[in-house]
Amino acid sequence: MTIRYSLQYVLVGILTLGMGFGAPAAKAETHPVAISLGEIRDLSVPFPIKSYEPGNRDLVRVQTSGPQKVTVTGIKEGNTDLKVVGDGDQVEIFRIAVQSSADAVLKEVRKDLENIPGIEAELSLGKVVLRGVVTKPQDWGFLKRTVLPSYGDQVQCRVVFRLQDELLLKLKSNLEKSHFKVIEGNDVSKDPGTLSLFSSENNVIINGSVYSRGEFDSVRSVVTACPWLKIRKDGDKDSDDTCYAVINVTVAPVLLELDVTFVGVTDAENTTLGANLLRNGLATVYATAGIAGSAVSGATAKSGSYVVSGTMSDTLKALNTGLGPGRFSSMGHLTFKNDATDWKMFQDGGTIELPITGGVGGNVGVQPIDYGLIIKAKGGLSDAQNASMDLQVEMSVPVPAGSSPAGPIYNLHRSRIDSTILCPVGKTLIMGGTKQLTEGVHIDSETPGLGKIPVLKFLFSERTKNREDRQVLILISPQIAKAPTVSAPVSDQTANTPEKAAKPLSIMKH
């Protein structure tokens, strides 16, 4: 007997230690529930039910009605807890208040809603009806997730969520500060740069189109800066206490037109250029640091480059007024899609197929050679008013390097300047820099036939007494295709200039 009782005590002690020092029980979720006398309410739990235990069986009758559901019937006024247990120590506790009338439910509801402004609770046909407008996401979440589930069908909700007008007005103001036109409502404007803004429950919807990827990123930046707003992503689940931004904004597939003109001037003419432009009513919008980085010499170009207020035609008219008879000009016209990644080229020169050297000791081969003054451009609109362009300006000249059984051999002297420019739409950028370009292609004697090409004749011909006194200005003028508010392109006669320049020329033949 003694041994048996001792073993029994040992087992009890082991079980007691196991219960005292084992893994802690899972924290129970607690839910308030209010029901009326005689009301039958289904309560769900997120796990299969193993057992349940009401604190006071005189107040409620409980039975299972599904693997994860119990049915509770109010049989007497009072308050009691209902503990529902699942496998793995999963526990849910319902604090049940059995009330005798709808007046009592109304009293409890008003107590729960006392910190949420804008909601009125009243009795209608034995039910508590909620009406009003909630403007704060956290209040809306508390009503939907905490208050309403506690009362079941005893409470009918007629409350709507409407975002605070102050928040929407602040968002609109921030978008307008980023140079967007904003209209209120869900009408979608066809004009790029115009956005519509409206809210629906806890969603803020922004519709419209913009001119560039940079403008699209600007819209997202403005929204991200709002601490109360979250950009909705694919797969996001609705959350009652979160405001989502739905950005239905696209980059408009507009065409960008670029007028390009080369104008030859002397240094003396260049010094009076600003005065000539001003006399013709063309003010300087801003000056730039010029274009930098000679690909040949590695030197930094510090030429004067600036934007004037006139269109290409206005600027050319002003230049023709002040320049002498020795000048020349060559005009071209480039069109490409906004944000294009491929280069478009305008060339004042030609293309020849002749034997050239492959360097010192290199093999001789025949290949096409583009020569002259070449400009390549790509990029697009940074916004409705400005274009951001990558430019490559190249000067290349074929010069004699000997002869071979196949004919004369030529080297190509080439110099290039790379630049990124920002130019207002409809304005003209006047760019210098050919002093740096000609340093890379300087030749001591005229190559036969090159004198027929205007830009090369102007810069390198021996007939020019002081060719160091010559330079070429590069004029760039971007505009949006088919836009009625900006200037028309240069005349149609210049549109085929790139095609003409690309045709092979036999200028080396005597």
Side-chain angles (χ1 to χ4, degrees):
M1 293 289 293
T2 302
I3 296 175
R4 185 177 63 187
Y5 286 129
S6 297
L7 291 174
Q8 193 174 30
Y9 289 141
V10 170
L11 291 174
V12 171
I14 292 173
L15 291 174
T16 303
L17 288 173
M19 294 176 64
F21 297 99
K27 184 179 179 180
E29 293 288 337
T30 304
H31 309 279
V33 176
I35 62 176
S36 301
L37 282 173
E39 181 185 356
I40 300 174
R41 177 82 61 83
D42 288 333
L43 304 176
S44 299
V45 294
F47 51 79
I49 298 173
K50 183 179 179 181
S51 63
Y52 58 86
E53 181 63 33
N56 188 338
R57 295 180 181 270
D58 294 334
L59 302 183
V60 293
R61 182 182 302 113
V62 183
Q63 62 186 31
T64 57
S65 54
Q68 295 177 228
K69 185 184 296 184
V70 294
T71 299
V72 179
T73 304
I75 57 178
K76 187 177 179 180
E77 287 186 62
N79 299 305
T80 185
D81 288 349
L82 171 62
K83 181 179 181 181
V84 181
V85 181
D87 292 331
D89 294 329
Q90 294 173 297
V91 177
E92 296 270 325
I93 295 177
F94 297 93
R95 291 182 176 171
I96 301 175
V98 182
Q99 301 163 333
S100 60
S101 66
D103 290 329
V105 176
L106 178 63
K107 182 179 179 180
E108 291 297 322
V109 170
R110 286 176 172 171
K111 185 187 299 183
D112 290 339
L113 298 177
E114 61 184 2
N115 293 322
I116 303 181
I119 299 180
E120 294 182 355
E122 59 185 22
L123 290 177
S124 177
L125 301 177
K127 300 285 186 179
V128 176
V129 180
L130 304 181
R131 293 185 174 87
V133 177
V134 175
T135 60
K136 294 182 179 179
Q138 59 269 31
D139 291 343
W140 181 248
F142 178 73
L143 173 67
K144 297 273 285 186
R145 290 197 315 230
T146 303
V147 176
L148 295 179
S150 301
Y151 296 94
D153 60 4
Q154 289 180 309
V155 175
Q156 295 180 355
C157 183
R158 300 289 184 266
V159 179
V160 296
F161 177 82
R162 185 179 301 128
L163 195 63
Q164 284 179 295
D165 291 338
E166 293 81 3
L167 294 177
L168 280 178
L169 289 174
K170 181 65 175 178
L171 176 58
K172 178 183 177 182
S173 175
N174 290 339
L175 288 170
E176 289 173 339
K177 289 178 181 177
S178 297
H179 308 293
F180 297 107
K181 180 180 178 181
V182 182
I183 57 177
E184 297 182 26
N186 58 359
D187 292 335
V188 180
S189 173
K190 296 180 180 179
D191 299 328
T194 300
L195 306 175
S196 65
L197 175 66
F198 70 100
S199 64
S200 175
E201 293 190 347
N202 58 334
N203 293 300
V204 175
I205 296 94
I206 303 174
N207 294 324
S209 62
V210 293
Y211 280 107
S212 68
R213 171 59 59 175
E215 283 195 320
F216 177 81
D217 293 339
S218 179
V219 173
R220 290 182 61 90
S221 296
V222 171
V223 173
T224 303
C226 298
W228 51 273
L229 200 53
K230 176 183 177 183
I231 296 178
R232 183 180 288 279
K233 300 177 182 177
D234 292 340
D236 278 350
K237 296 182 179 179
D238 285 333
S239 175
D240 291 322
D241 57 356
T242 301
C243 269
Y244 293 97
V246 181
I247 303 178
N248 297 322
V249 177
T250 59
V251 178
V254 298
L255 292 178
L256 187 68
E257 298 183 345
L258 195 68
D259 295 336
V260 180
T261 303
F262 301 143
V263 178
V265 297
T266 65
D267 285 347
E269 291 168 339
N270 192 37
T271 58
T272 62
L273 183 63
N276 290 334
L277 293 172
L278 190 59
R279 276 197 301 269
N280 284 270
L282 301 182
T284 299
V285 178
Y286 60 83
T288 71
I291 49 181
S294 170
V296 173
S297 64
T300 300
K302 296 182 179 178
S303 57
S305 301
Y306 46 93
V307 175
V308 297
S309 58
T311 64
M312 178 67 80
S313 59
D314 294 335
T315 306
L316 289 175
K317 180 179 179 181
L319 292 177
N320 289 333
T321 300
L323 302 183
R327 68 187 183 279
F328 78 93
S329 63
S330 179
M331 294 177 287
H333 186 67
L334 306 178
T335 301
F336 44 88
K337 291 182 179 179
N338 189 30
D339 287 332
T341 58
D342 55 323
W343 293 94
K344 296 293 184 178
M345 184 181 77
F346 170 61
Q347 175 186 358
D348 189 319
T351 303
I352 54 176
E353 291 195 7
L354 286 173
I356 63 168
T357 60
V360 179
N363 296 325
V364 175
V366 176
Q367 69 179 55
I369 304 173
D370 291 328
Y371 64 89
L373 189 58
I374 302 170
I375 184 167
K376 295 180 180 179
K378 69 176 180 179
L381 296 166
S382 57
D383 53 45
Q385 291 79 34
N386 298 283
S388 178
M389 309 292 300
D390 291 332
L391 298 181
Q392 290 182 358
V393 184
E394 179 180 307
M395 176 74 73
S396 57
V397 177
V399 295
S403 61
S404 72
I409 301 173
Y410 294 86
N411 275 333
L412 191 66
H413 287 192
R414 176 184 289 152
S415 181
R416 193 182 81 191
I417 295 176
D418 294 308
S419 175
T420 298
I421 66 166
L422 181 68
C423 184
V425 173
K427 303 297 187 286
T428 303
L429 171 68
I430 301 178
M431 183 188 305
T434 52
K435 290 290 187 182
Q436 286 73 28
L437 289 172
T438 54
E439 288 175 1
V441 297
H442 184 78
I443 54 176
D444 295 326
S445 61
E446 178 184 356
T447 300
L450 288 181
K452 297 180 180 180
I453 306 302
V455 63
L456 300 181
K457 173 184 177 181
F458 185 79
L459 291 173
F460 297 112
S461 174
E462 286 293 345
R463 290 187 293 273
T464 301
K465 294 181 180 180
N466 187 8
R467 65 183 175 210
E468 287 78 11
D469 189 39
R470 303 277 181 166
Q471 63 176 292
V472 175
L473 299 179
I474 303 163
L475 279 60
I476 304 291
S477 182
Q479 57 192 327
I480 301 171
K482 299 181 181 180
T485 57
V486 295
S487 64
V490 292
S491 62
D492 292 339
Q493 64 184 0
T494 66
N496 61 351
T497 303
E499 288 77 7
K500 288 182 178 180
K503 291 180 180 179
L505 302 178
S506 56
I507 64 171
M508 298 299 178
K509 297 181 180 180
H510 299 283

